[in-house]
Amino acid sequence: MALYVLPEDRLHGHDNGVHDRMMECAGRVLGRSGRFAPPPMKIEDTLPPFTQARAFAVHLFTASGAALALAALIYAVQGKWPAMFACLGVALIVDGVDGTIARRFKVAEVLPRWSGDVLDLVVDFVTYVFVPAYAIGASGLLPPPLALPAGIVIVVTGALYFADRNMKTADNYFCGFPALWNAAAFYLFLLKPTAVLAAATILLLAGLTFVPFKFLHPMRVARMRALNIAAVILWAILALIALWRDLDPGPWVTGSMVVVGLYFVSVGFTEKR
């Protein structure tokens, strides 16, 4: 067996960092006693299989939002708008409760290999931004020359918003329009504005993405939480009626949904700065 000796300049010259890393790795393997030391056990290796399976099931529950997004997109391509919004609505429910479940079962600690935050952002982007952008562009709400540019504006500003590390305030409000294009699309389909007004609304909301005002997160904001949750429940009931009536529920339901929507937008402005 040949014996190789590293030249002096390899040990004390510009490659000394490599030597240090080699010695550090050897120390980790041998341990302080000089004997072989097994690698440290990971947290998940010490937990019972049921705990790990339960945590992974929470990740699967979050990832089901991506499946709902695909179903919504297929319905959108077929022009079945109520079915599309029904899928996005279920995805909204999943997004509203998966975080609470993940914290309850300490999923981040049990399975640190998978990032729940990244998974949540991926699913949210396709359900909140991408599919609604396609629906707005393909629905005929806008004339053909404006449909594609509007969709591009939505997905680009939405992507930038989801990459913003300051997207939430310290008191759990959203900062700026929180890329709720699924809700914006729902109101556009419900109100059926003129093409000019629809295009202006899209530009306004896209611009408000970068305006630092507080937008209510009804499940996380502590102030008036009971009233906020009640408003969410009322909105959900009204939305179900609208879907049941093929997005033509009549003035009372439509008007009530507009009032609830204005409530969500205005609550943040009542906060003390």
Side-chain angles (χ1 to χ4, degrees), residues 141-163:
L141 289 169
L142 299 171
L146 295 179
L148 181 58
I152 291 174
V153 167
I154 291 171
V155 296
V156 170
T157 58
L160 289 172
Y161 186 83
F162 276 89

Side-chain angles (χ1 to χ4, degrees), residues 152-246:
I152 291 174
V153 167
I154 291 171
V155 296
V156 170
T157 58
L160 289 172
Y161 186 83
F162 276 89
D164 187 358
R165 292 189 175 93
N166 296 323
M167 66 189 302
K168 287 183 181 178
T169 64
D171 47 359
N172 290 321
Y173 282 87
F174 291 110
C175 185
F177 173 67
L180 286 173
W181 290 105
N182 48 357
F186 189 82
Y187 276 98
L188 289 174
F189 276 73
L190 194 66
L191 298 172
K192 300 176 180 63
T194 63
V196 173
L197 184 56
T201 301
I202 291 169
L203 287 177
L204 174 64
L205 294 177
L208 289 176
T209 300
F210 307 103
V211 177
F213 71 97
K214 288 186 174 182
F215 192 100
L216 178 67
H217 189 313
M219 308 305 292
R220 298 293 297 275
V221 173
R223 179 172 174 260
M224 300 189 300
R225 177 174 290 168
L227 179 59
N228 297 335
I229 293 176
V232 170
I233 295 173
L234 175 60
W235 189 92
I237 294 172
L238 294 171
L240 285 174
I241 296 173
L243 293 178
W244 181 262
R245 297 181 179 177
D246 199 23

Side-chain angles (χ1 to χ4, degrees), residues 92-179:
L92 190 62
I93 295 173
V94 171
D95 182 53
V97 301
D98 65 343
T100 302
I101 299 173
R103 288 186 291 273
R104 169 67 178 80
F105 295 124
K106 299 181 180 180
V107 173
E109 300 175 19
V110 174
L111 289 179
R113 173 181 174 182
W114 283 276
S115 171
D117 292 335
V118 174
L119 177 60
D120 192 60
L121 286 175
V122 170
V123 173
D124 285 355
F125 181 76
V126 293
T127 56
Y128 283 75
V129 179
F130 192 83
V131 175
Y134 173 82
I136 291 173
S139 63
L141 289 169
L142 299 171
L146 295 179
L148 181 58
I152 291 174
V153 167
I154 291 171
V155 296
V156 170
T157 58
L160 289 172
Y161 186 83
F162 276 89
D164 187 358
R165 292 189 175 93
N166 296 323
M167 66 189 302
K168 287 183 181 178
T169 64
D171 47 359
N172 290 321
Y173 282 87
F174 291 110
C175 185
F177 173 67

Side-chain angles (χ1 to χ4, degrees), residues 3 11 16 25-26 43-44 48-49 55 59 68 74-75 87 90 95 154 164 176 209 215 221 239 251 264:
L3 178 65
L11 291 176
N16 197 34
C25 292
I43 296 177
E44 56 266 37
H59 282 320
L68 290 165
I74 291 174
Y75 283 128
C87 291
V90 177
D95 182 53
I154 291 171
D164 187 358
T209 300
F215 192 100
V221 173
F264 289 140

